[in-house]
């Protein structure tokens, strides 16, 4: 039991992320209140809720991206990934971010070639052999369902790709450093329906090898993509469970009102 919040609800049996009584503040404003949940390995977990409810803040806690914002602090609680407290003072944050990749709302390819977008991270890690880099570039582009579309123009600028291709390239770039977890902050919100469908198909394939946590405003997308869904409201975790529960038989009236479109 969690004394500060509800009992840990319907948690997965094989968690890779364990959050306990976690609080987060921007200056004097509290953004997250006593969050506790487990996220299952090789599952897709959706974070939903109205704008400003804390879901993107929570997502960025998993790779400590919020550290880049001034005057943020954690007044209490823990987040463990693979049993390691990621906010412990001895944690190497750069190493953490290799294991926890991120794909943002707006695709952000480097102003380099398609090939170099993926090779860049490998070179930073000290990988210099061209045949090894070539192999990883191809593997990652195949993993992001892009290889057949770009294999004949790897030297072209990534900025010339379509929006959907750029987003899949950013996913390929995240795969290059072999993460365990991929965070996605509204990855389809700027895409058209066809590109969105391709990214969703890709997420279904990727969960065979990766744990994925996705923030989305799209209820249908959350229902299609995820194994479990967490509903946030005003910085609090209101409900968390398998999709069938959250969308078809929610336990909390606020959840029911939100997923049925009565507010948010």
């Amino acid at each position: 039991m969690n004394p500060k919040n509800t009992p840990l609800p319907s948690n997965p049996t094989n968690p890779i992320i364990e959050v306990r009584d976690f609080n987060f503040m921007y200056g004097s404003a509290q953004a997250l209140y006593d969050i506790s949940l487990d996220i299952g390995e090789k599952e897709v977990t959706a974070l939903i809720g109205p704008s400003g409810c804390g879901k993107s803040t929570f997502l960025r806690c998993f790779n400590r991206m919020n550290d880049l914002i001034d005057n943020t602090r954690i007044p209490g609680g823990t987040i463990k990934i693979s049993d390691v407290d990621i906010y412990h003072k001895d944690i190497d944050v750069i190493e953490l971010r290799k294991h926890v990749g991120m794909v943002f709302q707006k695709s952000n390819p480097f102003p380099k070639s398609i090939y170099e977008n993926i090779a860049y991270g490998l070179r930073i890690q000290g990988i210099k052999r061209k045949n090894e880099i070539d192999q990883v570039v191809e593997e990652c582009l195949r993993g992001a369902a892009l290889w057949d579309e770009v294999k004949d123009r790897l030297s072209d600028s990534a900025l010339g790709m379509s929006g959907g291709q750029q987003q899949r390239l950013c996913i390929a770039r995240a795969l290059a450093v072999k993460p365990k977890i991929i965070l996605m902050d509204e990855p389809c919100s700027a895409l058209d329906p066809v590109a969105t469908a391709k990214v969703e198909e890709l997420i279904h394939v990727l969960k065979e090898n990766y744990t994925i946590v996705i923030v989305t405003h799209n209820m249908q997308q959350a229902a299609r993509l995820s194994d479990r869904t967490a509903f946030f409201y005003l910085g609090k975790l209101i409900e968390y469970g398998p999709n069938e529960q959250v969308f078809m038989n929610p336990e909390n009236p606020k959840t029911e009102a939100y997923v049925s479109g009565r507010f948010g």
Side-chain angles (χ1 to χ4, degrees), residues 13 45 50 70 86 121 135 157 172 174 189 195 198 203 216 247 250 256-257:
T13 55
T45 301
D70 290 340
I86 65 169
Q135 181 180 343
S157 171
S189 65
K198 288 190 174 181
I203 290 169
T216 179
F247 289 103
E256 184 176 13

Side-chain angles (χ1 to χ4, degrees), residues 28-39:
S28 60
Q30 188 153 355
L32 297 172
Y33 296 83
D34 299 322
I35 307 296
S36 291
L37 83 168
D38 289 348
I39 290 175

